[in-house]
Amino acid sequence: MVLAGAGSGKTRVLVHRIASLVERGVRPHRILAVTFTNKAAGEMRERLGTMLGFAAHSMWISTFHSTCARLLRLYHEDVGLSRDFTIYDDDDQRKIVRDILK
């Protein structure tokens, strides 16, 4: 885990660490990199693609929310969900409650 302020080089550190793992034999599909913003995930994906080429495509590089949604889609039956479940954001939730109250 890397915790640091904006502009301190977090993405650079993670990208080089991931590249080092791949160079030492870790299979790319076994690597998970989780960030908090889509911008950071995209930047990380782009840099790893430049450094590692096609190997970067099989890595899980995404936001916390996107990773959780992907896991729920993969294991939906294990948690009692249908494959096509919907995740509601705050606005959707408020609208549904308003509709129910009407």
Side-chain angles (χ1 to χ4, degrees):
M1 180 187 311
V2 177
L3 295 173
S8 61
K10 295 180 298 294
T11 301
R12 181 184 180 287
V13 168
L14 290 171
V15 165
H16 284 273
R17 175 67 175 143
I18 291 168
S20 173
L21 290 170
V22 172
E23 289 168 0
R24 291 189 309 187
V26 174
R27 292 178 167 161
H29 73 273
R30 299 187 53 94
I31 294 174
L32 167 66
V34 180
T35 69
F36 284 98
T37 67
N38 288 320
K39 180 181 176 186
E43 179 70 21
M44 196 177 306
R45 208 175 293 113
E46 183 179 317
R47 290 185 194 185
L48 284 165
T50 299
M51 292 178 81
L52 301 173
F54 187 74
H57 292 285
S58 63
M59 294 178 193
W60 279 34
I61 304 167
S62 60
T63 63
F64 175 78
H65 292 96
S66 178
T67 298
C68 291
R70 185 174 176 184
L71 288 170
L72 284 172
R73 296 262 180 241
L74 286 171
Y75 300 104
H76 61 96
E77 290 178 351
D78 297 331
V79 295
L81 295 172
S82 67
R83 173 95 171 98
D84 59 342
F85 69 90
T86 302
I87 298 173
Y88 294 108
D89 65 15
D90 291 342
D91 291 335
D92 294 331
Q93 292 174 39
R94 282 190 209 88
K95 184 183 180 316
I96 289 170
V97 170
R98 278 194 299 266
D99 291 347
I100 290 170
L101 292 173
K102 284 180 186 176

